[in-house]
Amino acid sequence: MFLENNLSSSRLGGCIEVVTGSMFSGKTEELIRRLRRAEIAKLNVGIYKPKIDNRYSDNDVVSHDSKIVSAIPVRSAKEIIDLAKDNKVVGIDEAQFFEDDLIDVCNYLANQGKRVIVAALDMDFSGKPFGPLPGLMSIAEYVTKVHAICMRCGHLANYSHRLSDTQKLVMLGEKDIYEPLCRSCFSKAIDDKNKDLELFNNQKT
Ligand code: ZN
């Protein structure tokens, strides 16, 4: 578990933490846990998320177990700079949907002495690094990888396998669209999909 007693090491007090993993790995729960503790410490806490994600509601960070904390939806990462002026702790949820300028924004906020906590998917449905995450993980003082449980074998899962065939990068959804898989089950699922596709193409010709 991430322990905050490591945090006083910086003279400025600012730092960047990334909480990342697949879908159903508890990223948002971990973000909320850290933000709640900052609130208990009477620190000014702000929570932001990209406007793209309105699965449940426009103003809340909603974790899959339905603990709710208010979040401000923003269209771009730069908007956070003004909004977070009075925050000592800045939470950013679903950060994979921001552009690469989120990296500069997080650096700017941390250099202002703020504690920045980012929760995001590390990989997209095809297993490729997602959006600004590689850069964010590079500049962060602390990176926490959380894991889901593989739906097929019960080992730790770090891939979000999409059950439908669409190739769209952004597809929001729940358990009926994605399943968390471990490395070997994910690579087998991709192989099987490619075999099916080959069979389908051969039948057409
Ligand atoms: Zn597995």
Side-chain angles (χ1 to χ4, degrees):
M1 185 184 281
F2 183 84
L3 298 172
E4 289 97 337
N5 54 9
N6 297 326
L7 288 176
S8 56
S9 53
S10 157
R11 185 175 52 83
L12 278 170
C15 69
I16 299 169
E17 300 160 35
V18 173
V19 181
T20 189
S22 69
M23 299 193 68
F24 313 109
S25 61
K27 304 177 295 294
T28 301
E29 286 82 351
E30 178 59 17
L31 172 68
I32 290 171
R33 189 187 71 84
R34 294 184 194 183
L35 294 176
R36 283 232 168 101
R37 290 169 63 81
E39 268 174 349
I40 292 168
K42 306 239 183 319
L43 298 171
N44 184 320
V45 175
I47 312 157
Y48 308 91
K49 63 170 189 174
K51 204 152 176 79
I52 190 170
D53 185 9
N54 38 21
R55 258 178 290 183
Y56 297 100
S57 85
D58 248 343
N59 296 308
D60 299 317
V61 168
V62 181
S63 63
H64 293 293
D65 67 355
S66 289
K67 288 179 207 151
I68 297 175
V69 180
S70 278
I72 300 171
V74 293
R75 286 191 193 285
S76 76
K78 286 203 180 76
E79 282 180 42
I80 299 173
I81 290 178
D82 261 355
L83 292 166
K85 243 185 306 190
D86 297 327
N87 298 151
K88 180 69 184 152
V89 181
V90 180
I92 303 172
D93 197 25
E94 303 281 2
Q96 72 275 2
F97 294 130
F98 282 111
E99 304 289 330
D100 277 352
D101 63 351
L102 180 63
I103 298 164
D104 288 340
V105 169
C106 287
N107 261 335
Y108 177 85
L109 293 170
N111 291 345
Q112 302 289 305
K114 300 178 195 299
R115 180 181 169 202
V116 183
I117 312 170
V118 180
L121 285 170
D122 50 0
M123 289 182 275
D124 66 20
F125 71 96
S126 65
K128 301 255 167 20
F130 210 140
L133 260 290
L136 277 175
M137 287 161 77
S138 300
I139 60 160
E141 273 91 344
Y142 306 102
V143 176
T144 305
K145 282 245 186 181
V146 285
H147 296 90
I149 299 297
C150 178
M151 296 299 285
R152 302 194 183 180
C153 76
H155 284 95
L156 289 181
N158 56 331
Y159 291 93
S160 310
H161 178 239
R162 187 183 283 174
L163 296 163
S164 84
D165 274 339
T166 167
Q167 293 300 304
K168 253 174 66 187
L169 183 61
V170 178
M171 216 180 125
L172 304 171
E174 287 303 302
K175 287 200 171 74
D176 48 339
I177 305 181
Y178 296 97
E179 59 174 351
L181 294 182
C182 71
R183 180 178 293 277
S184 65
C185 293
F186 180 77
S187 82
K188 187 176 179 307
I190 297 296
D191 279 354
D192 289 350
K193 229 179 232 175
N194 289 340
K195 268 185 214 142
D196 285 350
L197 202 66
E198 221 169 274
L199 208 67
F200 177 74
N201 287 336
N202 287 342
Q203 276 168 352
K204 273 203 308 193
T205 50

